[in-house]
Amino acid sequence: MAELGFEKSAMDDSLYILRDAEGQTLMVVLAYVNDTIPAGPNLTHIIKFKKDFSECLKITDLGDIHHILGIRVTHDRKYRTITLDQTCTLKRSSADLGCKTVLPPILLQCQGKTLIITITQDG
């Protein structure tokens, strides 16, 4: 990843960050075993990453992400939101423990933007 200009995050060994000359984040890549998940506001950077990465390793582009590590990922491009939920995992774990689990939202702020992560339970 360093050869492609990415630096490893100090917080998570599986997170790589691409920054511009001013230090602004252009995109991030989450790498887990043999999966990589590029994310960023500019599709051009993601397309370039996939092209450059495919020159280093044989890759298969599976398109938009829908699940990762038991987490369902839902995109709403109109409202520019991404929802992460573990409803199935929570239901399974809660049932095993004989209880219902509903957690409050998690708020993350990065570069002046707020990301709200909510864990919901269907039904």
Side-chain angles (χ1 to χ4, degrees):
M1 295 294 288
E3 295 85 21
L4 300 177
F6 287 82
E7 64 184 72
K8 186 183 285 193
S9 166
M11 303 299 273
D12 188 329
D13 285 340
S14 62
L15 182 65
Y16 295 86
I17 304 164
L18 180 66
R19 301 181 194 277
D20 64 15
E22 289 80 38
Q24 294 294 311
T25 301
L26 298 176
M27 68 176 290
V28 297
V29 175
L30 182 63
Y32 183 77
V33 186
N34 64 343
D35 293 324
T36 57
I37 304 164
N42 188 325
L43 185 58
T44 304
H45 291 123
I46 294 171
I47 292 169
K48 182 178 181 332
F49 164 75
K50 289 179 181 182
K51 179 188 171 295
D52 294 347
F53 196 60
S54 70
E55 292 173 4
C56 299
L57 295 168
K58 183 177 190 265
I59 67 168
T60 302
D61 188 347
L62 300 175
D64 285 349
I65 185 170
H66 299 287
H67 287 88
I68 181 76
L69 301 174
I71 300 168
R72 180 173 55 184
V73 181
T74 309
H75 305 253
D76 186 328
R77 295 192 191 286
K78 178 180 176 184
Y79 293 104
R80 300 180 52 94
T81 62
I82 298 173
T83 303
L84 308 174
D85 86 59
Q86 288 186 291
T87 302
C88 292
T89 304
L90 283 174
K91 283 183 178 180
R92 205 173 307 121
S93 298
S94 296
D96 290 346
L97 297 172
C99 62
K100 287 186 175 183
T101 304
V102 178
L103 302 175
I106 300 167
L107 299 175
L108 302 175
Q109 288 199 326
C110 180
Q111 297 182 346
K113 296 185 171 123
T114 302
L115 173 67
I116 302 171
I117 300 172
T118 58
I119 299 174
T120 60
Q121 184 175 16
D122 292 336

